[in-house]
Amino acid sequence: MKMQSKRWAAAAAALGTLLAAPALAAQPYPERPVTLVVGYAAGGATDIVARLMAKSLSEALGQTFVVENKTGANSNIGAEIVARAAPDGYTLYVGSIANTINRTLYSQLNYDFVKGFEPVGLLATIPNILVVNPKLPVKTVQEYVAYAKKNPGKLTCASSGSGSSIHLSCELFKMQTGTDILHVPYRGSGPAVADLLGGQVDSMFDNLPSSLPHVQAGKLRAIGVTSPQRLPSAPDTPTLAESGLAGFDVESWFGVMAPAGTPKPVVERLNQAINKALANPALQASYQQSGFYAPQQPNTPETYATKIASEIDKWGKVVKSANLKAN
């Protein structure tokens, strides 16, 4: 009788384990804090949008989303860290237009932005804005071009890093205007803007969110935007196309990437949370205040992957035409 009781107890324990397994497997993602890796220093546009979205995702999914800045090599260091991370949805990368530029700009990369990641969804798009230190004696794009031609190689143009959209905007400008402007790369928009404010550099084709507050405060002078139309947040600033550079159009973008092999249900849950956050009036207000624009719908992993492929092709042509190399 005692032996039979033991068998019943063992059977009950085994059954309990079997019943518990599906319950454990069904635990909703995420069960612990999630890290969003940004490849640039704090204060730049990538960092700003990451922190805005981290707050919204934390509220939507009930777990903390933490932003970590892993700077260097025009965001390649951060991208490499995430590409090598466990594909479980707990270490994500905030990718940008820079990563599609880097694919051609760098002859050697320790990660593959296409094969090494699963696109999750776009977070935002922004134009760039040409800003100058107020001490520079120019108030229009035409005066900026004239000054550059009178001072070849002396006018400086800062960027968040070689190969960033900020850098490529400057290179495209130089190509279209036939000017010799010295490019000065930094480890993110934050440090570059700080030196621009201090007068260590003259100008910058910055992402709108990181420079707009300084323009509004009168600490920087905006002379042109890279979008096809003027911006609601800077209505008095003409487009570069209006200023004589026909067809000049550069739009930066940001999106979440997961390591390759991340389970599809996790990717889909993240995508749904991102789109839910984008529809939230509070986040929309923060975007408007900061100069970001929500991506067009549908915003799916598939449409994001298509955009990445298109951007790699577009910027590859610019990099080759300008004969740019980073290593």
Side-chain angles (χ1 to χ4, degrees), residues 14 57 85 130 167 170 232 297 301 310 323 325:
L57 290 178
L130 175 53
H167 173 206
C170 184
Q297 294 293 335
S310 175
N323 195 28
K325 294 181 181 180

Side-chain angles (χ1 to χ4, degrees), residues 123-127 208 230-234 251 278 287 291-295:
L123 300 181
T125 63
I126 52 170
L208 182 65
R230 293 196 184 199
L231 305 174
S233 53
E251 178 187 70
L278 290 170
Y287 268 27
F292 291 104
Y293 294 83

Side-chain angles (χ1 to χ4, degrees), residues 129-131 139-142 208 212 215-216 220-227 229-240 242-243 293:
I129 186 167
L130 175 53
V131 288
K139 294 184 178 180
T140 67
V141 171
Q142 292 89 343
L208 182 65
L212 185 60
V215 171
Q216 293 170 335
L220 292 177
R221 180 182 298 139
I223 62 174
V225 293
T226 65
S227 54
Q229 295 85 30
R230 293 196 184 199
L231 305 174
S233 53
D236 296 328
T237 305
T239 67
L240 291 179
E242 282 181 78
S243 304
Y293 294 83

Side-chain angles (χ1 to χ4, degrees), residues 287-308:
Y287 268 27
Q288 185 174 6
Q289 183 179 5
S290 301
F292 291 104
Y293 294 83
Q296 292 183 345
Q297 294 293 335
N299 179 30
T300 65
E302 292 75 23
T303 59
Y304 186 19
T306 299
K307 183 175 184 66
I308 287 171

Side-chain angles (χ1 to χ4, degrees), residues 44-45 126-131 158 160 165-166 169 189-190 192-193 196 203-212 214 220 226:
I126 52 170
N128 290 344
I129 186 167
L130 175 53
V131 288
S160 55
S165 73
I166 297 171
S169 292
S189 285
V193 171
L196 180 59
S203 63
M204 185 175 179
F205 284 82
D206 194 24
N207 295 149
L208 182 65
S210 52
S211 276
L212 185 60
H214 303 298
L220 292 177
T226 65

Side-chain angles (χ1 to χ4, degrees), residues 7 10 18 35 43 68 81 87 98 132 134 155 193 195 201 214 217 221 245 262 293 303-304 322:
R7 287 174 180 171
L18 289 172
T35 298
E68 286 190 3
I81 288 171
V132 300
L155 180 65
V193 171
D195 272 8
V201 286
H214 303 298
R221 180 182 298 139
L245 280 74
T262 300
Y293 294 83
T303 59
Y304 186 19

Side-chain angles (χ1 to χ4, degrees), residues 262-299:
T262 300
K264 189 174 182 180
V266 171
V267 171
E268 290 177 345
R269 182 162 170 77
L270 282 166
N271 177 267
Q272 291 167 4
I274 287 170
N275 285 316
K276 182 179 179 180
L278 290 170
N280 188 313
L283 184 63
Q284 290 174 355
S286 295
Y287 268 27
Q288 185 174 6
Q289 183 179 5
S290 301
F292 291 104
Y293 294 83
Q296 292 183 345
Q297 294 293 335
N299 179 30

Side-chain angles (χ1 to χ4, degrees), residues 77-99:
I77 290 176
E80 183 181 344
I81 288 171
V82 179
R84 295 181 176 182
D88 55 11
Y90 289 96
T91 304
L92 306 172
Y93 179 63
V94 183
S96 72
I97 184 176
N99 296 107

